Amino acid sequence: MVLDTAVMNVSVSQLVHDFDTQVTTIQAVITLYALVMAAFMITGGTIGDKIGRRRAFGVGLVVYGVGTTLTAAAPTVGVLALGWSIIEGLGAAMVLPALAALVAGTYQGRDRAVAYGVVGGLAGAGIAVGPLLGGWVTTYLTWRLVFAAEAVVVVVLLLLLRWIKAPAPSVRPVRLDGVGSALSAAGLALVVLGVLQSGTWGWLKDRNSPFTIFGFSITLFVIGAGCVLLYLFRLWERRRETRGEDPLIHFALFRIPALKAGLITLLNQNLILLGLFFVIPLYLQVVQGFDAFETGLRLLPVSITMLVAALSGPFLGRFASPRTVVRIGLGVMLASIVWLLSTIQPDIDDLSFAFAMALLGLGMGLLASQLGNVVQSSVEDADRSQAGGLQNTAQQLGSSLGTALIGSILIGALAAAFTTKVENNPEVSQAVKTQTGTALEAGIQFVPTDQVAAGLSSAGVPPAEAGHLVSAYAEAQLDGLKVAILAAGGLVLVGYAFTRHLPADRLGPPAPTG
């Protein structure tokens, strides 16, 4: 499931070509995958309580297998979204909470920390393999093979399902909360949709909004409608609890300081990671002109160091508390982002870029080594599935918002920088400036400069002025990338504020054997 997103991120250019679409369309497909998981992860955890966690794990794998098979054969971008974003997303929403609960229920104390270190390490391995394997397959074969191979992996996992010890069934039958599921899913969907489309619609001033409200873009109204639905979801859950019915979420869990801090930090981590992993491949592929395999090679350092750091979590736990390790990780991430900003140039310095990526992976891995264990160790066994659902909801919501928010900032900064450079260029006539402004009102895309040059030529712009516009667009691309990466750095600083309630105690000694 980690591999999926990594493959999609390095295959953006090829997907745009294969489906004759735009970058923003593929951005929407990537966002929808994470959004579906975020919206239904809590429901998936409740299903695990109802039918059993091992069974939910197996059913989720079957759904996921159907989705990945459909994705491999997708003839249109619509079918791609159905198979990958929706069906695979629903399967993952059942698998991941069950996985978190099964691991937590199998191990105790330090052994559990080791187990979550392995889980985090495997996630890091998926990120490590994804860009390189996906890039190679996309460049020299076809990205479809990755999803066909996933279907084979699903079959193997189903054959080995009996290896997992089935937990004791719940004493009290659990009823699904259909209304709560609908309210939470719709609320989350509207919030992310508004953030995703803000670059196209505009935040306040109408840019290309399908309609306006009081003369304003609908972006904030869509986000506001989502917040209202989430508030109604909270009221509905409170009503079910007072009537003695099973809520989708026991909101009392949010009164546990360590759990709340862990969930917020997970959300923030994935918001930063997926935002950067959307922006950086665009820099490598669109600005530098690298293919998917070359992009994967340059992303490999972040993946390797993330894997190593994630696996080192239990060892670090002997000397430092989760709070300390997470704070160190955030500091390392901030340093990597500052370094990364210096590498965003017309001609890439591969060595400097590789070190910046390695440092980013180190920081991310330190966070991954701690947070899963923090969340699951904060609750009792009866709440494991809900905690797993909340854990993965935070991760996937962060992923979808990260792609949407950082992508929106990138497009907005690109448009602003390009407009300013064109308006301030005396070599561009007023007629061409007006023509360019009209085109920008319909939206701007992050595309290669030769595509911009071709568009200007077909629009009849004189060659000399077209050259100035292309240069301005190339400079605006770099400005937009730097603003988007800087925004990710701001999110790292915000993350520090939520670490004070993380556990301050080191891990205990290993559990006795024999």
Side-chain angles (χ1 to χ4, degrees):
M1 294 166 187
V2 173
L3 183 75
D4 260 1
T5 305
V7 170
M8 281 294 187
N9 279 325
V10 299
S11 303
V12 168
S13 297
Q14 189 62 46
L15 289 165
V16 168
H17 177 268
D18 288 355
F19 292 111
D20 191 23
T21 186
Q22 298 175 337
V23 168
T24 50
T25 302
I26 302 303
Q27 177 191 9
V29 172
I30 294 172
T31 299
L32 182 60
Y33 175 61
L35 173 60
V36 169
M37 284 194 279
F40 292 99
M41 200 70 73
I42 298 170
T43 302
T46 305
I47 290 174
D49 286 335
K50 183 175 179 63
I51 68 175
R53 294 165 185 171
R54 186 176 72 173
R55 184 175 297 174
F57 186 79
V59 172
L61 283 174
V62 171
V63 174
Y64 192 87
V66 171
T68 195
T69 301
L70 183 61
T71 302
T76 66
V77 72
V79 177
L80 177 75
L82 174 63
W84 188 61
S85 303
I86 298 177
I87 299 179
E88 283 193 44
L90 290 172
M94 293 184 66
V95 168
L96 294 174
L99 172 64
L102 286 168
V103 171
T106 303
Y107 302 99
Q108 301 295 326
R110 179 176 174 78
D111 289 341
R112 181 183 295 158
V114 173
Y116 274 107
V118 173
V119 171
L122 291 175
I127 295 176
V129 173
L132 193 58
L133 176 62
W136 185 84
V137 172
T138 298
T139 301
Y140 298 108
L141 299 170
T142 170
W143 55 268
R144 298 177 187 274
L145 283 179
V146 175
F147 295 94
E150 284 187 358
V152 176
V153 172
V154 166
V155 172
V156 173
L157 289 175
L158 289 171
L159 292 175
L160 302 178
L161 192 61
R162 66 182 184 277
W163 287 10
I164 301 175
K165 181 180 178 181
S170 175
V171 177
R172 185 172 63 87
V174 178
R175 294 185 178 180
L176 290 178
D177 178 8
V179 174
S181 296
L183 287 173
S184 63
L188 289 168
L190 287 175
V191 169
V192 175
L193 176 65
V195 176
L196 172 65
Q197 292 297 109
S198 60
T200 302
W201 295 343
W203 281 100
L204 285 174
K205 183 181 178 181
D206 173 34
R207 181 179 297 163
N208 195 25
S209 181
F211 58 92
T212 61
I213 300 177
F214 307 121
F216 296 105
S217 165
I218 66 171
T219 298
L220 293 182
F221 294 95
V222 171
I223 295 173
C227 292
V228 169
L229 288 178
L230 292 175
Y231 177 71
L232 292 176
F233 166 63
R234 174 68 183 96
L235 295 180
W236 173 259
E237 296 301 287
R238 182 183 298 169
R239 177 175 178 269
R240 285 182 65 88
E241 286 189 280
T242 56
R243 294 173 59 179
E245 299 174 337
D246 293 311
L248 196 64
I249 298 178
H250 289 284
F251 276 85
L253 292 175
F254 291 108
R255 299 192 194 108
I256 303 173
L259 175 66
K260 184 162 62 175
L263 292 174
I264 293 174
T265 308
L266 273 170
L267 187 150
N268 192 54
Q269 175 197 8
N270 280 268
L271 198 152
I272 297 166
L273 179 61
L274 270 296
L276 289 176
F277 262 60
F278 179 76
V279 168
I280 293 172
L282 286 180
Y283 167 63
L284 295 174
Q285 293 182 331
V286 176
V287 176
Q288 297 298 332
F290 298 133
D291 60 32
F293 180 59
E294 292 169 327
T295 299
L297 282 175
R298 285 164 176 81
L299 293 177
L300 189 58
V302 69
S303 309
I304 293 173
T305 54
M306 183 174 179
L307 170 60
V308 173
L311 289 174
S312 69
F315 173 76
L316 293 174
R318 299 180 185 180
F319 309 101
S321 67
R323 181 195 300 172
T324 300
V325 174
V326 168
R327 285 178 172 175
I328 292 173
L330 289 172
V332 172
M333 287 168 57
L334 187 60
S336 72
I337 287 174
V338 173
W339 193 339
L340 183 61
L341 282 170
S342 69
T343 69
I344 304 301
Q345 302 292 337
D347 297 314
I348 189 172
D349 182 339
D350 279 324
L351 184 60
S352 181
F353 183 82
F355 278 118
M357 289 288 94
L359 199 61
L360 177 64
L362 178 61
M364 285 290 178
L366 289 174
L367 267 65
S369 72
Q370 304 296 316
L371 296 176
N373 186 49
V374 166
V375 169
Q376 286 292 330
S377 297
S378 301
V379 300
E380 301 296 328
D381 185 65
D383 296 317
R384 298 275 185 232
S385 291
Q386 278 207 4
L390 290 171
Q391 173 184 337
N392 287 286
T393 297
Q395 290 175 299
Q396 301 309 324
L397 183 59
S399 298
S400 56
L401 284 175
T403 304
L405 178 62
I406 302 299
S408 171
I409 291 172
L410 171 64
I411 296 299
L414 170 66
F418 183 53
T419 301
T420 301
K421 292 178 187 300
V422 171
E423 289 295 328
N424 294 337
N425 192 331
E427 301 297 325
V428 179
S429 67
Q430 187 58 48
V432 171
K433 288 179 180 179
T434 302
Q435 186 179 359
T436 303
T438 302
L440 286 174
E441 288 295 324
I444 187 170
Q445 301 295 328
F446 201 96
V447 296
T449 51
D450 57 357
Q451 188 173 330
V452 175
L456 292 171
S457 176
S458 63
V461 177
E465 293 185 74
H468 289 294
L469 291 177
V470 171
S471 297
Y473 182 81
E475 293 174 5
Q477 280 184 322
L478 298 179
D479 291 345
L481 287 164
K482 288 179 180 179
V483 169
I485 293 170
L486 191 62
L491 292 172
V492 174
L493 292 175
V494 170
Y496 270 104
F498 298 100
T499 60
R500 65 189 185 95
H501 290 303
L502 292 173
D505 298 325
R506 290 178 292 178
L507 290 174
T513 58

